[in-house]
Amino acid sequence: MDQYIIHGGTTLRGEVEISGAKNAAVAIIPAALLVKGVCRIENIPQISDTDTLLTILVELGARVSYINKNTIEIDCSNARCQDAPFELMRKIRASYYLIGSMLGRFGSAKTTMPGGCNFGVRPIDQHIKGMRALGADVNVEGGFVYADALDGRLHGSRIYLDKVSVGATMNIMIAAVLAEGRTVIENAAREPHIVDLANFLNSMGADVRGAGTDSIRINGVDELHGGSYSIIPDQIEAGTYMVAAAATGGEVLITNIIPKHLEGISAKLRETGTFIEEYEEAILVRGAEKLRRINLKTMPYPGFPTDMQPQFGVLLCQANGTSVITEGIYDNRFKYVNELRKMGAEIQVDGRVCVIDGGRRLSGAPVHACDLRAGAAMVIAGMIADGTTVIDDVHYIERGYERFVEKLNALGADITVRYDDDDPERIGLYSVS
Ligand code: EPU
């Protein structure tokens, strides 16, 4: 399998440009299925999750062409309602957006239950509740989701989410855009990628209002037209480089970002003593001489993001004193702790709480990337450790970070990639170099 070999003890310095937001792109690509016309999408991150979704769209009859490595045109005018490639759907979480987009476009959808990183149970009951409220008959059988609009088209409705869910909010938005009448989503998630999806849909002729608040209103329209849209920068990719700079005691200017989206991350880094300076579209991070211990709890946006929790777990191994992390979103997002222990970290986990006894040097070891963000965290751990760290299962990391190794090495890291050409997890049909 593919591996990263990291020689530790490096300090990151220089400038890094952030790519388009993964969790916006993985909703916008399936949403393009609603559009009869050409969607030109800029700032698409070149990562395996977007490749997988584009491959699925092509199988459904879309025409996808790359204008350059981060700009694509998707034309779903001739897309057909048919079975999508289920083995690809099972690989990723975001395939759940095809329930909304196929229902909206064709009035019918058959998808697999979604895959994605394993943080314990990740139900999609709120997605299903939303589709049912819009008038779809939805059944889950044998690992598949079958959904049919009862009279061929969805109908607007008022939906209160029992749990603040990014995926359910975006999926219902996608489904409701072409529904007849008005939909209101209450207790909606407020992440920047929700606003980005709304802006994408509106630029193609939809009428979505209130995205970014907990009440989103969608007035259904009869059809969407083609257009051009640029995806926002990835706040988690930016946050990962911020932590990497802080953990290695370096100084990195992170460009092409929206500082407002990084407020939770910046605030917690400042508490550790890390120096942060914000500019209009960039942020400078300079590592502290001595990192201070902190406590943090992950929450829905604008709270501290769960997708930054493992990276902070590594950082806090370097801080003097005891830090406590409480995971407020998932049941089981501390699997990376076992890998960190192999490197000498002293961490106790009890359910959703993890207690880090910081200030110990880490030493290189063979470790796994348990999932996407855990993998990124292990890369940071490898860079601060003494000696060599070998990380396997790095296909997880490549699902979400564009040119991660190339960008880190340009900042002074010492990472080599050992590719196994037979690694079945790697796909890249539509990538261009
Ligand atoms: N939940 C339910 N029922 C549902 C949906 C969610 O109980 O129908 C629960 C989940 O089990 C979880 C919580 O609600 O405990 C929040 O889940 P949410 O639906 O917000 O997460 P998601 O849509 O599955 C997206 C991102 C994740 C990110 C979370 C939270 C995508 C493709 N994935 O997942 O991203 O952690 O929101 O911000 O957008 C990552 O990028 O590494 C990643 C895992």
Side-chain angles (χ1 to χ4, degrees), residues 22 93 96 122-123 125-126 165-167 307 329-330 373:
K22 161 186 164 285
R93 185 88 193 143
Y96 50 36
R122 294 179 76 184
D125 57 304
Q126 298 304 305
S165 160
V166 171
D307 294 341
I329 306 291
Y330 295 114
R373 308 302 172 188

Side-chain angles (χ1 to χ4, degrees), residues 17-20 25 29 40-47 50-51 54 64-73 231 237 256 402-404 406-407 430-433:
E17 189 178 337
I18 296 308
S19 301
I29 294 170
R40 184 187 172 100
I41 308 173
E42 293 166 13
N43 213 23
I44 284 266
Q46 221 187 21
I47 50 178
T50 52
D51 273 351
L54 289 168
V64 174
S65 34
Y66 272 90
I67 306 305
N68 61 45
K69 69 184 173 55
N70 297 112
T71 303
I72 54 171
E73 284 184 356
I231 291 178
E237 186 197 11
N256 185 36
E402 184 176 58
R403 296 181 288 110
F404 196 37
E406 186 187 317
K407 289 186 187 186
Y430 296 93
S431 301
V432 291
S433 52

Side-chain angles (χ1 to χ4, degrees), residues 199-233:
N199 289 341
F200 164 77
L201 291 167
N202 287 345
S203 71
M204 305 291 148
D207 184 357
V208 181
R209 300 168 191 211
T213 74
D214 60 6
S215 176
I216 300 177
R217 301 170 307 285
I218 303 139
N219 296 310
V221 296
D222 288 336
E223 61 177 32
L224 299 183
H225 52 71
S228 189
Y229 191 73
S230 182
I231 291 178
I232 52 164

